[in-house]
Amino acid sequence: MNDDKIIVAIQQHKNIRGKIKALYENDITDTLLLQQLAEDLNHHIRYEERVLFPFFEKALSESQLRHIGLTLENSHTNKYNENYSDEFWLQKK
């Protein structure tokens, strides 16, 4: 799809990748760059939630959305054991 919303998202991805690359190549402790990256990530996540995903839900068919979901699900590999016996992140009452 050739749409401004998608172009914005792709540009945001490039910007985020650029900041990550700069951190690895220069100084991973650059607090200003880390702060900018965090702000960019937050802004991008909100953009996807509020603008891009609703656009896709309207523009794509149920079949296309299901296909995308399955493709994403199959592309993720879990290398970590996440079978915690204690859900330590939940508060005990």
Side-chain angles (χ1 to χ4, degrees):
M1 300 176 111
N2 188 15
D3 188 277
D4 289 344
K5 294 171 196 66
I6 296 169
I7 293 167
V8 167
I10 291 169
Q11 186 56 47
Q12 289 175 349
H13 279 233
K14 288 179 183 177
N15 181 40
I16 290 166
R17 281 191 201 101
K19 284 189 172 75
I20 292 169
K21 184 178 180 189
L23 284 166
Y24 275 111
E25 291 176 352
N26 299 309
D27 182 5
I28 195 72
T29 62
D30 182 338
T31 55
L32 179 59
L33 190 54
L34 283 168
Q35 182 178 358
Q36 290 172 345
L37 174 60
E39 290 170 6
D40 288 352
L41 279 169
N42 186 49
H43 176 75
H44 176 68
I45 290 166
R46 300 298 167 250
Y47 177 80
E48 284 186 342
E49 290 173 340
R50 296 176 182 158
V51 178
L52 195 61
F53 294 158
F55 167 74
F56 285 148
E57 288 173 339
K58 290 179 183 174
L60 301 174
S61 70
E62 283 293 321
S63 172
Q64 289 171 310
L65 291 170
R66 256 192 315 279
H67 176 71
I68 291 168
L70 288 172
T71 301
L72 288 171
E73 187 176 314
N74 292 332
S75 72
H76 296 146
T77 57
N78 187 355
K79 300 175 187 175
Y80 307 101
N81 178 4
E82 295 181 1
N83 297 322
Y84 301 110
S85 59
D86 178 24
E87 294 176 328
F88 58 86
W89 57 90
L90 298 177
Q91 291 183 347
K92 307 276 189 228
K93 293 184 180 183

